Amino acid sequence: MKFKTFALALATAASTTLALPAAAQFAKPEDAIKYRQSTLFVIGQHFSRIGAMVNGKAPFDAKAAQADAEVIASLAALPWTGFGPGTDKAAPNKSKPEVWSDSAKFTEHAQKFEAEAPKLLAAAKSGNLDQIKAAFGPTANSCKSCHDNFRAR
Amino acid sequence: MKFKTFALALATAASTTLALPAAAQFAKPEDAIKYRQSTLFVIGQHFSRIGAMVNGKAPFDAKAAQADAEVIASLAALPWTGFGPGTDKAAPNKSKPEVWSDSAKFTEHAQKFEAEAPKLLAAAKSGNLDQIKAAFGPTANSCKSCHDNFRAR
């Protein structure tokens, strides 16, 4: 019960882009860990694809970039629901203790990313690579900043 | 190159709900496996939440059901891009050899799910539990049928 309540509070606090389920329902802590790892991995994959276009390592494909940005925006609010209490060590993972000991700061980072994702999507919808480049940097920084602070190497 | 080409063909064939990236770009086969497992796990989690409401194991929350259905619809076309050649044994996974030896049938199953996901979303948007129940069954069957045929126990 306590686990669900915290997850709900975190979800409510962090969710700005998507109406999240009223309660983040995980059958067990391992599922929550797998869920946050899964959503972040998928976000990372699609973000890398946009990054390859931004960095000139892949040809620019406006339609693909938009599809990638749509996936990112759709998932942006989800990972944080998987960081409830009791999910720090239930399965192997790289989260630092600060996720839970400084949850206000963690939520702030999550919200930063959630705020950037729709901007990246808007840029991708323009079909203009320069606009995508402009939005890509701040989004990438929001990822990096959170990883630097809350993910072990 | 061959890997990417196949993944693209499969993505093009299976994608009915979302404009997929022009090429499914995975750095290595392990990433493709992790990607399909991640997307399917997240879909499964949200599908289970709707299932709990449908089966009366959780109180009906129309807003939550819609959010769950939105995640499912957003991800419905993605997993299949992770089933390219060379991704059968690159990392532990439960895919049967038939995914690759009978790819036409596998794609058919994928398309069935992709066709059901937006119907489930439309039902969820109605806010009516009976409509959600009606759409839930066929969607669940599309999952089960594919798992029965293409996923090892």
Side-chain angles (χ1 to χ4, degrees), chain A residues 44-129:
Chain A
Q45 286 287 306
H46 288 274
F47 195 69
S48 295
R49 292 176 195 179
I50 296 177
M53 296 185 224
V54 163
N55 297 320
K57 291 178 183 171
F60 176 53
D61 179 330
K63 197 177 166 186
Q66 186 179 329
D68 289 326
E70 279 172 356
V71 174
I72 294 164
S74 295
L75 296 178
L78 303 183
W80 332 121
T81 62
F83 287 94
T87 66
D88 53 343
K89 294 173 183 170
N93 72 93
K94 293 181 182 170
S95 300
K96 287 185 182 176
E98 286 78 7
V99 169
W100 296 273
S101 65
D102 195 356
S103 60
K105 193 180 168 197
F106 179 67
T107 299
E108 199 178 288
H109 278 78
Q111 286 174 327
K112 181 85 176 77
F113 172 66
E114 285 189 68
E116 296 298 342
K119 294 181 197 168
L120 181 62
L121 176 56
K125 281 182 175 172
S126 76
N128 181 302
L129 183 56

Side-chain angles (χ1 to χ4, degrees), chain A residues 118-150:
Chain A
K119 294 181 197 168
L120 181 62
L121 176 56
K125 281 182 175 172
S126 76
N128 181 302
L129 183 56
D130 286 334
Q131 286 194 40
I132 296 172
K133 283 180 182 177
F136 183 83
T139 314
N141 284 341
S142 73
C143 299
K144 185 180 183 304
S145 174
C146 194
H147 291 171
D148 286 349
N149 284 281
F150 295 102

Side-chain angles (χ1 to χ4, degrees), chain A residues 18-27 30-32 34-39 41-42 45-46 48-50 52-53 58 61 63-68 70-71 74-75 78 81, chain B residues 18-27 30-32 34-39 41-42 45-46 48-50 52-53 58 61 63-68 70-71 74-75 78 81:
Chain A
L18 183 74
L20 274 173
Q25 302 151 330
F26 296 105
E30 297 91 311
D31 286 350
K34 192 171 174 183
Y35 180 87
R36 72 197 192 210
Q37 291 173 331
S38 295
T39 46
F41 178 76
V42 174
Q45 286 287 306
H46 288 274
S48 295
R49 292 176 195 179
I50 296 177
M53 296 185 224
D61 179 330
K63 197 177 166 186
Q66 186 179 329
D68 289 326
E70 279 172 356
V71 174
S74 295
L75 296 178
L78 303 183
T81 62
Chain B
L18 183 75
L20 273 173
Q25 302 152 331
F26 297 105
E30 297 90 313
D31 286 349
K34 191 172 173 181
Y35 180 88
R36 73 195 192 212
Q37 290 173 333
S38 295
T39 46
F41 178 75
V42 175
Q45 286 287 307
H46 288 274
S48 296
R49 292 176 196 179
I50 297 177
M53 295 185 223
D61 179 328
K63 197 176 165 188
Q66 184 179 330
D68 289 325
E70 278 171 358
V71 174
S74 295
L75 296 178
L78 303 183
T81 63

